[in-house]
Each structure stands twice: as C-alpha cells, then as structure tokens.
Amino acid sequence: MTPAVDREVIVAGAGPAGIATAVALSARVPGLTSRILCLDKASFPRDKPCGGGLTGHAHAALAVLGLPIRVPRVACGEGRIVYGHRTRDVALGRPVDIVRRREFDADLVEQARARGIEIATGEGLASFEVDARAGLVRIVTSAGRRLTTRVLVGADGAGSRVRRTLAVDDRPPLRLFQAEVEAPAALAPTIAGRMIYDFSLMTRGLRGYLWLFPAPDGRINVGAMHTPTRKVSGAEIEGLLREGLRPYGVALPDGARGWPAWRYRASASISAPHLLCVGDAAGIDALTGEGIAVGLEQGPIAAAAIATALTSGDFAFAGYTAAVRRAVVGRELALDDRLASLLYARHGFSVWLSLMLFDRRMQELYAARVSGSEVLADRKTALLGALGRHAFAAPARLAMLRLG
Ligand SMILES: Cc1cc2nc3c(=O)[nH]c(=O)nc-3n(C[C@H](O)[C@H](O)[C@H](O)COP(=O)(O)OP(=O)(O)OC[C@H]3O[C@@H](n4cnc5c(N)ncnc54)[C@H](O)[C@@H]3O)c2cc1C
C-alpha cells in the first residue's frame, strides 16, 4: 500500500526553476495542485545577483508555462562583442529583455500563488532523508516543520542541498560578480537597446567576459563571469571588473556581489530515487552563464517525470537525467559546455575569440540561438563549416586580433 505523505511533491526553492516545475506540474495534473508545496528560505521580493537577461528561450518557456512578463524590462535588439578596440554588433532576431530579478521572481511567485500553488517563504529546506523502504522523503524545514513527501525537487539554486547529495560534478563553479549602477550620460547612446559583452580582460587572466546591460529606470546592470580554468581570487575578479568598466566611464560601487554557479555537465546525474534537480541546482550554461531560461525549460521536463512517477509508482527517476540531456535545453547546454572549454581554456583563447569576432556566420548562428530561432546543437554542418573556414582564416584573424 502507498504510504500517506504530507505532500506528494515538495519543491525546495521558488526561483524561476522551482516556480516553472510547480506551475508545469499543476497544469499537467490539476488535481495535484493542493498537494504541491514550494518552500523558499527567502521572503519575496528578494535580491538575486543576475544580469537579468531573458533570451528567446526564456520567452518561449514562459509562454509554454502561461507566465507573462509583468515587470519593467528593457528590450535589447542587439549584442555587441568587444575585444580591445574591436567591436562587432550582432542583431538579435528576437530582443533579449533585461529585467530586475527582485521584481521578476517576486512576480512569478505571485502568478504561481494565483494558480493555487502554496508557496511558503522565509522557510527553507534544512535537512532531508530519503527512506527508500517506505518510499518517501522526510524533510525538516528551517522553521522546524517535519514533512513527508514522495518527491523532493531541488530548485534551491547554486548552494543546493539536494545537489550536494547527488555529487553531480567535481568541477569548481563559475564565479560571477554583479552590480546595478547609474548609467553615465555619455554611455546612454552606446547602451541603448544593446547588450555589451567585453572579452578584453581575457588578456589579464579573466576566463570569461564583462557585461554591461541596460536596466530599467535608466540604470545599467554590470558584471563579470569567470571560469576557474585559471585561479583568480574573488577580489581579483572584482578588481578586473572595476578596471574593465573604467573605459565605459562606469565606477563600480563597493560591495559588488560575487556568486558561484555550477556548470551543467551532460554526463552528470541530476536525479536519484525520489529526488530531482532543476535550474542552478542542475547546472547552468558554461559559455554564457545563462540560467533563467535553463530553469524555465527544465521545469516542465521535471514535471513530466514527476507525473509519470506518481502514476506508475516508480520513483527512481532513472530516465530524468537522459530526458534533460535529450531535450533542446540539454543539447544546447552540452554544446556550450564544449565551446566554453575551448574559449575559456587556460591557454590559447585567442584562436577561439578570433573565430567569434571575425566569423560573421558564426555570430549570426549564435544570435539565432540566443533569439531562440535556432537550436545550435542541431546545426552541426554549419558549425563544422565555421571551423573549416577558421582553419584557413585563423592566421590572418589572429594577426588582426593582435593589432586590435
Ligand atoms: C551574477 C550573475 C549574473 C547572471 N546573469 C544571468 C543572465 O543575464 N541571464 C540568465 O538567464 N541567467 C543569468 N544568471 C544565472 C541565473 O541567475 C540563474 O541561473 C537562475 O537564477 C537560476 O534559477 P533557479 O531558480 O535555479 O535558482 P535561483 O534563482 O537562485 O533560486 C533559488 C531559490 O532557492 C532558494 N533557496 C536556497 N536554498 C534553499 C533552501 N535550503 N531551502 C529553500 N529554498 C532555498 C533561494 O532563496 C532562491 O530563491 C546569472 C547568475 C549570476 C550569479
């Protein structure tokens, strides 16, 4: 006989990934809605360091979930790649919207609540234990509540407690720093409707990029992403960000927030009996650091796996990792992980940076992927074509890069 539990499903974390999972599950099995509980240790609105870029994939995923964007946003129809004095502007078929996560996430929580999903805030997952023989998970919350559930979803972000028990990946996390600042008047025309990705600091040891995105209310969202293929301390990354912003006339305030983020790895298992990870707990895009769309796209995959488990009574979730890997989100993440291992390698980045800066077709393809109109992982012929062209053009492109 199936044991009684307090809730069929408990979702730890009410960020985009947790909300997407709960909303998708409630839409799939409406009768389950009152048996789902989302827990978040924070109270909303809460801050979340983030560039706040909602790409075409995020828009598409939100549309599938029926969650409109109801908060202030700035549309960017163009991305600019910068390296030294070289710049390349790339048009995006579908604009990326920049939102403030404090507002965006709180609104998603509100929309989920309006659908009848219970979201307890200010109450986190403190500990849990899978009782395989009883076929349930016992959890204790930070408020001391003891609850049982058949499925625990780890949507608890980069510091995920659920992820820790799965030993998902042994690679150190990405480091990201972010702040929101007043836009200097002189920068306004440059930044209007345009996201800037500046790779100049790679010559100084950064293995990643610096971004400047226009934010709501005439402000700008700035930050840096570093891949730890080179050891650079948090203070050094912050120093590099400060230095990299200077040519734009932007002064970084003290206290830019640093944050770790696990990289998605296709071979890593993101589930175990009675447990699933989504969003940052499962790993984000290693090339761009993008993770909002990732969480929004993984939520429905997790919901499908949970619905099947509740029907079949098989809570092993043996197929979940493969289902994510096979989906568009998993294929794009796996491709970006490979591209990141080239571009952010300890040595030799200029070979790949010159491909990105000087190959128009490659830029268009990546822009289409960001816009959500192309699945880049499925464009192997076009990617191989770009690599073939680069094999011949690399010496000249590298010379141009050195001149830049
Ligand atoms: C500086 C920076 C810039 C970024 N820029 C972008 C960008 O421009 N575009 C993009 O797409 N992505 C970006 N990302 C990634 C993006 O922010 C994340 O991938 C995204 O927030 C993941 O959503 P999530 O729901 O998995 O996790 P989160 O948004 O982190 O939500 C997790 C939630 O879990 C809660 N929680 C934590 N522990 C517990 C617990 N024990 N119990 C209960 N709740 C818990 C937290 O309070 C939080 O609300 C950026 C990340 C960083 C750090």
Side-chain angles (χ1 to χ4, degrees), residues 241-303:
L241 173 60
R242 193 177 298 282
E243 194 179 311
L245 289 173
R246 217 168 278 139
Y248 295 95
V250 174
L252 186 71
D254 288 336
R257 289 187 64 188
W259 206 263
W262 301 103
R263 290 170 272 177
Y264 173 83
R265 179 177 259 182
S267 58
S269 176
I270 50 174
S271 60
H274 300 276
L275 306 174
L276 297 174
C277 280
V278 288
D280 275 16
I284 68 169
D285 189 301
L287 185 68
T288 59
E290 182 189 5
I292 305 173
V294 172
L296 294 172
E297 287 176 299
Q298 281 174 354
I301 304 172

Short mmCIF file of all heavy atoms in Angstrom, two decimals, residues 241-303:
data_model
loop_
_atom_site.label_atom_id
_atom_site.label_comp_id
_atom_site.label_asym_id
_atom_site.label_seq_id
_atom_site.Cartn_x
_atom_site.Cartn_y
_atom_site.Cartn_z
N LEU A 241 36.90 43.63 -12.87
CA LEU A 241 35.62 44.22 -13.30
C LEU A 241 35.69 45.74 -13.17
O LEU A 241 35.31 46.47 -14.10
CB LEU A 241 34.49 43.63 -12.43
CG LEU A 241 33.09 44.23 -12.60
CD1 LEU A 241 32.59 44.08 -14.04
CD2 LEU A 241 32.08 43.55 -11.65
N ARG A 242 36.20 46.19 -12.04
CA ARG A 242 36.33 47.64 -11.80
C ARG A 242 37.15 48.29 -12.91
O ARG A 242 36.78 49.32 -13.48
CB ARG A 242 37.02 47.83 -10.44
CG ARG A 242 36.97 49.22 -9.86
CD ARG A 242 37.62 49.22 -8.49
NE ARG A 242 36.92 48.37 -7.53
CZ ARG A 242 35.80 48.67 -6.90
NH1 ARG A 242 35.25 49.84 -7.11
NH2 ARG A 242 35.23 47.84 -6.05
N GLU A 243 38.27 47.63 -13.22
CA GLU A 243 39.19 48.16 -14.24
C GLU A 243 38.55 48.12 -15.64
O GLU A 243 38.67 49.07 -16.41
CB GLU A 243 40.43 47.26 -14.23
CG GLU A 243 41.61 47.78 -14.94
CD GLU A 243 42.74 46.78 -14.82
OE1 GLU A 243 43.01 46.33 -13.68
OE2 GLU A 243 43.31 46.44 -15.85
N GLY A 244 37.85 47.02 -15.91
CA GLY A 244 37.23 46.87 -17.23
C GLY A 244 36.10 47.84 -17.46
O GLY A 244 35.77 48.17 -18.61
N LEU A 245 35.48 48.32 -16.38
CA LEU A 245 34.36 49.26 -16.52
C LEU A 245 34.84 50.69 -16.72
O LEU A 245 34.10 51.54 -17.24
CB LEU A 245 33.46 49.20 -15.28
CG LEU A 245 32.63 47.92 -15.11
CD1 LEU A 245 31.91 47.92 -13.76
CD2 LEU A 245 31.61 47.79 -16.24
N ARG A 246 36.08 50.95 -16.31
CA ARG A 246 36.61 52.33 -16.35
C ARG A 246 36.51 52.96 -17.75
O ARG A 246 36.01 54.09 -17.88
CB ARG A 246 38.05 52.34 -15.82
CG ARG A 246 38.33 53.58 -15.01
CD ARG A 246 39.64 53.50 -14.24
NE ARG A 246 39.53 52.77 -12.99
CZ ARG A 246 40.42 51.91 -12.52
NH1 ARG A 246 41.50 51.64 -13.22
NH2 ARG A 246 40.25 51.32 -11.37
N PRO A 247 36.92 52.25 -18.82
CA PRO A 247 36.82 52.88 -20.15
C PRO A 247 35.40 53.26 -20.53
O PRO A 247 35.19 54.09 -21.42
CB PRO A 247 37.34 51.78 -21.09
CG PRO A 247 38.09 50.83 -20.24
CD PRO A 247 37.54 50.92 -18.87
N TYR A 248 34.40 52.66 -19.87
CA TYR A 248 33.00 53.00 -20.18
C TYR A 248 32.51 54.15 -19.30
O TYR A 248 31.35 54.54 -19.37
CB TYR A 248 32.10 51.78 -19.94
CG TYR A 248 32.37 50.63 -20.88
CD1 TYR A 248 33.22 49.59 -20.50
CD2 TYR A 248 31.79 50.58 -22.14
CE1 TYR A 248 33.48 48.53 -21.36
CE2 TYR A 248 32.04 49.52 -23.01
CZ TYR A 248 32.89 48.49 -22.61
OH TYR A 248 33.15 47.46 -23.47
N GLY A 249 33.42 54.63 -18.43
CA GLY A 249 33.03 55.72 -17.53
C GLY A 249 32.16 55.25 -16.38
O GLY A 249 31.45 56.04 -15.75
N VAL A 250 32.22 53.94 -16.09
CA VAL A 250 31.38 53.40 -15.02
C VAL A 250 32.25 53.10 -13.81
O VAL A 250 33.26 52.39 -13.92
CB VAL A 250 30.68 52.09 -15.48
CG1 VAL A 250 29.91 51.44 -14.33
CG2 VAL A 250 29.74 52.38 -16.66
N ALA A 251 31.85 53.64 -12.65
CA ALA A 251 32.57 53.35 -11.41
C ALA A 251 31.81 52.26 -10.67
O ALA A 251 30.62 52.40 -10.41
CB ALA A 251 32.66 54.62 -10.56
N LEU A 252 32.51 51.18 -10.37
CA LEU A 252 31.87 50.07 -9.65
C LEU A 252 31.75 50.43 -8.18
O LEU A 252 32.75 50.75 -7.54
CB LEU A 252 32.72 48.79 -9.82
CG LEU A 252 32.11 47.52 -9.25
CD1 LEU A 252 30.93 47.07 -10.10
CD2 LEU A 252 33.15 46.40 -9.18
N PRO A 253 30.55 50.36 -7.62
CA PRO A 253 30.44 50.66 -6.19
C PRO A 253 31.08 49.54 -5.38
O PRO A 253 31.24 48.42 -5.88
CB PRO A 253 28.92 50.68 -5.97
CG PRO A 253 28.34 49.85 -7.06
CD PRO A 253 29.28 49.95 -8.22
N ASP A 254 31.43 49.84 -4.14
CA ASP A 254 31.95 48.78 -3.28
C ASP A 254 30.83 47.79 -3.03
O ASP A 254 29.66 48.15 -3.03
CB ASP A 254 32.42 49.38 -1.94
CG ASP A 254 33.71 50.17 -2.14
OD1 ASP A 254 34.42 49.88 -3.13
OD2 ASP A 254 33.97 51.09 -1.34
N GLY A 255 31.23 46.55 -2.86
CA GLY A 255 30.25 45.54 -2.46
C GLY A 255 29.50 44.90 -3.62
O GLY A 255 28.37 44.46 -3.46
N ALA A 256 30.16 44.87 -4.83
CA ALA A 256 29.56 44.08 -5.93
C ALA A 256 29.48 42.64 -5.41
O ALA A 256 30.40 42.17 -4.76
CB ALA A 256 30.45 44.14 -7.16
N ARG A 257 28.37 41.99 -5.71
CA ARG A 257 28.19 40.68 -5.09
C ARG A 257 28.72 39.55 -5.97
O ARG A 257 28.44 39.48 -7.15
CB ARG A 257 26.71 40.45 -4.78
CG ARG A 257 26.25 41.32 -3.63
CD ARG A 257 24.85 40.96 -3.22
NE ARG A 257 24.78 39.59 -2.70
CZ ARG A 257 23.62 38.98 -2.42
NH1 ARG A 257 22.50 39.60 -2.63
NH2 ARG A 257 23.62 37.76 -1.94
N GLY A 258 29.54 38.69 -5.37
CA GLY A 258 30.07 37.52 -6.06
C GLY A 258 29.19 36.32 -5.79
O GLY A 258 28.55 36.24 -4.74
N TRP A 259 29.14 35.42 -6.74
CA TRP A 259 28.21 34.31 -6.65
C TRP A 259 28.80 33.13 -7.40
O TRP A 259 29.31 33.30 -8.49
CB TRP A 259 26.90 34.75 -7.32
CG TRP A 259 25.67 34.07 -6.86
CD1 TRP A 259 25.07 33.00 -7.46
CD2 TRP A 259 24.84 34.41 -5.74
NE1 TRP A 259 23.93 32.66 -6.77
CE2 TRP A 259 23.77 33.50 -5.72
CE3 TRP A 259 24.92 35.38 -4.76
CZ2 TRP A 259 22.78 33.54 -4.75
CZ3 TRP A 259 23.93 35.42 -3.80
CH2 TRP A 259 22.87 34.52 -3.79
N PRO A 260 28.71 31.93 -6.86
CA PRO A 260 29.18 30.76 -7.64
C PRO A 260 28.05 30.21 -8.50
O PRO A 260 26.87 30.46 -8.21
CB PRO A 260 29.53 29.75 -6.54
CG PRO A 260 28.57 30.07 -5.43
CD PRO A 260 28.25 31.55 -5.51
N ALA A 261 28.36 29.50 -9.54
CA ALA A 261 27.32 28.83 -10.35
C ALA A 261 27.92 27.56 -10.94
O ALA A 261 28.97 27.61 -11.59
CB ALA A 261 26.84 29.76 -11.46
N TRP A 262 27.26 26.45 -10.70
CA TRP A 262 27.74 25.17 -11.24
C TRP A 262 27.48 25.10 -12.73
O TRP A 262 26.44 25.53 -13.20
CB TRP A 262 27.03 24.00 -10.54
CG TRP A 262 27.24 24.00 -9.07
CD1 TRP A 262 26.36 24.40 -8.11
CD2 TRP A 262 28.44 23.63 -8.38
NE1 TRP A 262 26.92 24.29 -6.88
CE2 TRP A 262 28.20 23.82 -7.00
CE3 TRP A 262 29.68 23.15 -8.79
CZ2 TRP A 262 29.15 23.56 -6.03
CZ3 TRP A 262 30.63 22.88 -7.81
CH2 TRP A 262 30.37 23.09 -6.46
N ARG A 263 28.42 24.51 -13.43
CA ARG A 263 28.24 24.32 -14.88
C ARG A 263 27.50 23.02 -15.15
O ARG A 263 27.79 22.01 -14.51
CB ARG A 263 29.60 24.26 -15.56
CG ARG A 263 30.32 25.58 -15.55
CD ARG A 263 31.76 25.41 -16.00
NE ARG A 263 32.64 25.10 -14.89
CZ ARG A 263 33.94 24.85 -15.01
NH1 ARG A 263 34.49 24.88 -16.20
NH2 ARG A 263 34.69 24.59 -13.96
N TYR A 264 26.57 23.06 -16.10
CA TYR A 264 25.87 21.83 -16.47
C TYR A 264 26.84 20.89 -17.17
O TYR A 264 27.60 21.31 -18.03
CB TYR A 264 24.70 22.15 -17.41
CG TYR A 264 24.02 20.92 -17.98
CD1 TYR A 264 23.04 20.24 -17.25
CD2 TYR A 264 24.36 20.43 -19.23
CE1 TYR A 264 22.42 19.11 -17.77
CE2 TYR A 264 23.75 19.30 -19.76
CZ TYR A 264 22.78 18.65 -19.02
OH TYR A 264 22.17 17.53 -19.54
N ARG A 265 26.81 19.63 -16.79
CA ARG A 265 27.62 18.62 -17.46
C ARG A 265 26.70 17.48 -17.87
O ARG A 265 26.00 16.91 -17.02
CB ARG A 265 28.70 18.12 -16.50
CG ARG A 265 29.57 17.06 -17.09
CD ARG A 265 30.66 16.67 -16.12
NE ARG A 265 31.91 17.31 -16.48
CZ ARG A 265 33.05 17.11 -15.82
NH1 ARG A 265 33.08 16.34 -14.76
NH2 ARG A 265 34.16 17.70 -16.22
N ALA A 266 26.70 17.18 -19.18
CA ALA A 266 25.73 16.21 -19.71
C ALA A 266 25.88 14.84 -19.05
O ALA A 266 24.90 14.11 -18.89
CB ALA A 266 25.91 16.09 -21.22
N SER A 267 27.11 14.48 -18.66
CA SER A 267 27.34 13.13 -18.13
C SER A 267 26.96 13.02 -16.65
O SER A 267 26.94 11.92 -16.10
CB SER A 267 28.81 12.75 -18.30
OG SER A 267 29.61 13.70 -17.63
N ALA A 268 26.69 14.14 -16.00
CA ALA A 268 26.41 14.10 -14.56
C ALA A 268 24.95 13.76 -14.30
O ALA A 268 24.06 14.22 -15.00
CB ALA A 268 26.76 15.45 -13.95
N SER A 269 24.72 12.98 -13.27
CA SER A 269 23.35 12.59 -12.92
C SER A 269 22.70 13.70 -12.08
O SER A 269 23.29 14.17 -11.10
CB SER A 269 23.38 11.29 -12.14
OG SER A 269 22.07 10.97 -11.74
N ILE A 270 21.52 14.10 -12.47
CA ILE A 270 20.84 15.19 -11.74
C ILE A 270 19.57 14.67 -11.05
O ILE A 270 18.67 15.45 -10.74
CB ILE A 270 20.54 16.40 -12.66
CG1 ILE A 270 19.85 15.96 -13.97
CG2 ILE A 270 21.82 17.15 -12.97
CD1 ILE A 270 19.40 17.12 -14.85
N SER A 271 19.53 13.36 -10.83
CA SER A 271 18.39 12.80 -10.10
C SER A 271 18.85 11.56 -9.33
O SER A 271 19.94 11.02 -9.58
CB SER A 271 17.27 12.42 -11.05
OG SER A 271 17.72 11.45 -11.98
N ALA A 272 18.02 11.15 -8.41
CA ALA A 272 18.24 9.94 -7.62
C ALA A 272 16.84 9.51 -7.18
O ALA A 272 15.89 10.29 -7.34
CB ALA A 272 19.13 10.25 -6.41
N PRO A 273 16.67 8.32 -6.64
CA PRO A 273 15.33 7.94 -6.21
C PRO A 273 14.69 9.00 -5.31
O PRO A 273 15.31 9.46 -4.35
CB PRO A 273 15.57 6.62 -5.48
CG PRO A 273 16.76 6.04 -6.20
CD PRO A 273 17.64 7.21 -6.52
N HIS A 274 13.51 9.44 -5.71
CA HIS A 274 12.69 10.44 -5.01
C HIS A 274 13.24 11.87 -5.10
O HIS A 274 12.65 12.79 -4.52
CB HIS A 274 12.49 10.06 -3.53
CG HIS A 274 11.80 8.75 -3.35
ND1 HIS A 274 10.44 8.63 -3.40
CD2 HIS A 274 12.30 7.51 -3.16
CE1 HIS A 274 10.11 7.35 -3.24
NE2 HIS A 274 11.22 6.64 -3.10
N LEU A 275 14.36 12.07 -5.79
CA LEU A 275 14.99 13.40 -5.86
C LEU A 275 15.25 13.83 -7.30
O LEU A 275 15.69 13.02 -8.12
CB LEU A 275 16.34 13.40 -5.14
CG LEU A 275 16.39 12.92 -3.69
CD1 LEU A 275 17.84 12.86 -3.22
CD2 LEU A 275 15.57 13.84 -2.79
N LEU A 276 15.01 15.12 -7.58
CA LEU A 276 15.32 15.70 -8.90
C LEU A 276 15.94 17.07 -8.69
O LEU A 276 15.55 17.78 -7.77
CB LEU A 276 14.02 15.96 -9.69
CG LEU A 276 13.10 14.84 -10.10
CD1 LEU A 276 11.86 15.45 -10.73
CD2 LEU A 276 13.80 13.95 -11.09
N CYS A 277 16.85 17.45 -9.56
CA CYS A 277 17.37 18.82 -9.52
C CYS A 277 16.95 19.57 -10.78
O CYS A 277 16.91 19.00 -11.87
CB CYS A 277 18.89 18.81 -9.46
SG CYS A 277 19.52 18.50 -7.81
N VAL A 278 16.65 20.85 -10.62
CA VAL A 278 16.34 21.73 -11.75
C VAL A 278 17.08 23.06 -11.57
O VAL A 278 17.43 23.43 -10.44
CB VAL A 278 14.82 22.03 -11.88
CG1 VAL A 278 14.04 20.83 -12.36
CG2 VAL A 278 14.24 22.55 -10.57
N GLY A 279 17.28 23.76 -12.68
CA GLY A 279 17.87 25.11 -12.61
C GLY A 279 19.32 25.07 -12.16
O GLY A 279 20.08 24.15 -12.52
N ASP A 280 19.71 26.06 -11.37
CA ASP A 280 21.11 26.15 -10.94
C ASP A 280 21.56 24.91 -10.18
O ASP A 280 22.74 24.58 -10.16
CB ASP A 280 21.30 27.39 -10.04
CG ASP A 280 21.57 28.64 -10.87
OD1 ASP A 280 21.29 28.61 -12.09
OD2 ASP A 280 22.04 29.64 -10.30
N ALA A 281 20.64 24.25 -9.53
CA ALA A 281 20.99 23.03 -8.79
C ALA A 281 21.45 21.94 -9.77
O ALA A 281 22.24 21.07 -9.40
CB ALA A 281 19.79 22.55 -7.98
N ALA A 282 20.98 22.01 -11.01
CA ALA A 282 21.38 21.02 -12.02
C ALA A 282 22.56 21.53 -12.85
O ALA A 282 23.27 20.74 -13.47
CB ALA A 282 20.20 20.70 -12.94
N GLY A 283 22.76 22.84 -12.88
CA GLY A 283 23.90 23.40 -13.61
C GLY A 283 23.46 24.34 -14.72
O GLY A 283 22.44 24.10 -15.38
N ILE A 284 24.25 25.41 -14.92
CA ILE A 284 23.86 26.44 -15.90
C ILE A 284 24.78 26.40 -17.13
O ILE A 284 25.67 25.57 -17.23
CB ILE A 284 23.84 27.86 -15.29
CG1 ILE A 284 25.25 28.33 -14.94
CG2 ILE A 284 22.94 27.91 -14.09
CD1 ILE A 284 25.29 29.80 -14.59
N ASP A 285 24.53 27.33 -18.03
CA ASP A 285 25.28 27.39 -19.29
C ASP A 285 26.72 27.84 -19.04
O ASP A 285 26.96 28.94 -18.54
CB ASP A 285 24.56 28.38 -20.23
CG ASP A 285 25.13 28.34 -21.63
OD1 ASP A 285 26.35 28.59 -21.81
OD2 ASP A 285 24.37 28.06 -22.55
N ALA A 286 27.67 26.98 -19.40
CA ALA A 286 29.07 27.23 -19.08
C ALA A 286 29.68 28.33 -19.94
O ALA A 286 30.68 28.93 -19.57
CB ALA A 286 29.87 25.94 -19.26
N LEU A 287 29.08 28.59 -21.10
CA LEU A 287 29.65 29.60 -22.01
C LEU A 287 29.19 31.00 -21.64
O LEU A 287 29.97 31.94 -21.60
CB LEU A 287 29.24 29.28 -23.45
CG LEU A 287 29.84 30.15 -24.54
CD1 LEU A 287 31.35 29.91 -24.66
CD2 LEU A 287 29.19 29.89 -25.90
N THR A 288 27.89 31.12 -21.36
CA THR A 288 27.31 32.45 -21.17
C THR A 288 26.96 32.75 -19.71
O THR A 288 26.76 33.90 -19.34
CB THR A 288 26.00 32.58 -21.97
OG1 THR A 288 25.10 31.55 -21.50
CG2 THR A 288 26.23 32.39 -23.46
N GLY A 289 26.82 31.71 -18.90
CA GLY A 289 26.35 31.91 -17.52
C GLY A 289 24.84 32.08 -17.47
O GLY A 289 24.28 32.41 -16.43
N GLU A 290 24.17 31.82 -18.59
CA GLU A 290 22.71 31.96 -18.64
C GLU A 290 22.06 30.80 -17.88
O GLU A 290 22.47 29.65 -18.01
CB GLU A 290 22.23 31.95 -20.10
CG GLU A 290 20.73 32.13 -20.22
CD GLU A 290 20.21 31.90 -21.65
OE1 GLU A 290 20.99 31.50 -22.52
OE2 GLU A 290 19.00 32.10 -21.84
N GLY A 291 21.04 31.12 -17.10
CA GLY A 291 20.40 30.05 -16.34
C GLY A 291 18.91 30.25 -16.12
O GLY A 291 18.24 29.34 -15.66
N ILE A 292 18.39 31.45 -16.44
CA ILE A 292 16.95 31.66 -16.21
C ILE A 292 16.16 30.76 -17.17
O ILE A 292 15.29 29.98 -16.76
CB ILE A 292 16.54 33.14 -16.41
CG1 ILE A 292 17.40 34.06 -15.54
CG2 ILE A 292 15.06 33.33 -16.08
CD1 ILE A 292 17.18 35.56 -15.80
N ALA A 293 16.50 30.85 -18.46
CA ALA A 293 15.80 30.02 -19.45
C ALA A 293 16.01 28.54 -19.14
O ALA A 293 15.08 27.74 -19.27
CB ALA A 293 16.32 30.34 -20.86
N VAL A 294 17.21 28.21 -18.70
CA VAL A 294 17.52 26.80 -18.39
C VAL A 294 16.54 26.26 -17.35
O VAL A 294 15.92 25.21 -17.53
CB VAL A 294 18.98 26.68 -17.89
CG1 VAL A 294 19.27 25.28 -17.38
CG2 VAL A 294 19.96 27.07 -18.99
N GLY A 295 16.37 27.02 -16.28
CA GLY A 295 15.44 26.59 -15.22
C GLY A 295 14.00 26.54 -15.71
O GLY A 295 13.25 25.61 -15.40
N LEU A 296 13.63 27.54 -16.51
CA LEU A 296 12.24 27.58 -17.01
C LEU A 296 11.97 26.42 -17.97
O LEU A 296 10.86 25.92 -18.05
CB LEU A 296 11.98 28.92 -17.72
CG LEU A 296 12.00 30.18 -16.85
CD1 LEU A 296 11.94 31.43 -17.71
CD2 LEU A 296 10.84 30.16 -15.84
N GLU A 297 13.00 26.02 -18.71
CA GLU A 297 12.82 24.91 -19.67
C GLU A 297 12.89 23.56 -18.98
O GLU A 297 12.25 22.60 -19.41
CB GLU A 297 13.91 24.98 -20.75
CG GLU A 297 13.70 26.11 -21.75
CD GLU A 297 14.85 26.22 -22.74
OE1 GLU A 297 15.98 26.45 -22.29
OE2 GLU A 297 14.61 26.08 -23.93
N GLN A 298 13.68 23.46 -17.91
CA GLN A 298 13.79 22.17 -17.22
C GLN A 298 12.56 21.87 -16.37
O GLN A 298 12.23 20.70 -16.15
CB GLN A 298 15.03 22.16 -16.32
CG GLN A 298 16.31 21.91 -17.08
CD GLN A 298 17.54 22.06 -16.19
OE1 GLN A 298 17.43 22.45 -15.03
NE2 GLN A 298 18.68 21.75 -16.74
N GLY A 299 11.90 22.93 -15.88
CA GLY A 299 10.73 22.72 -15.01
C GLY A 299 9.71 21.76 -15.62
O GLY A 299 9.33 20.77 -14.98
N PRO A 300 9.26 22.01 -16.87
CA PRO A 300 8.28 21.09 -17.46
C PRO A 300 8.82 19.67 -17.66
O PRO A 300 8.05 18.71 -17.61
CB PRO A 300 7.97 21.75 -18.82
CG PRO A 300 8.25 23.20 -18.60
CD PRO A 300 9.42 23.24 -17.67
N ILE A 301 10.13 19.53 -17.86
CA ILE A 301 10.70 18.17 -18.02
C ILE A 301 10.62 17.44 -16.67
O ILE A 301 10.24 16.27 -16.59
CB ILE A 301 12.17 18.24 -18.52
CG1 ILE A 301 12.25 19.02 -19.83
CG2 ILE A 301 12.75 16.84 -18.69
CD1 ILE A 301 13.67 19.31 -20.31
N ALA A 302 10.94 18.19 -15.60
CA ALA A 302 10.83 17.60 -14.25
C ALA A 302 9.37 17.26 -13.96
O ALA A 302 9.06 16.20 -13.41
CB ALA A 302 11.39 18.58 -13.22
N ALA A 303 8.46 18.17 -14.35
CA ALA A 303 7.03 17.94 -14.08
C ALA A 303 6.55 16.67 -14.79
O ALA A 303 5.80 15.88 -14.21
CB ALA A 303 6.22 19.16 -14.54
#
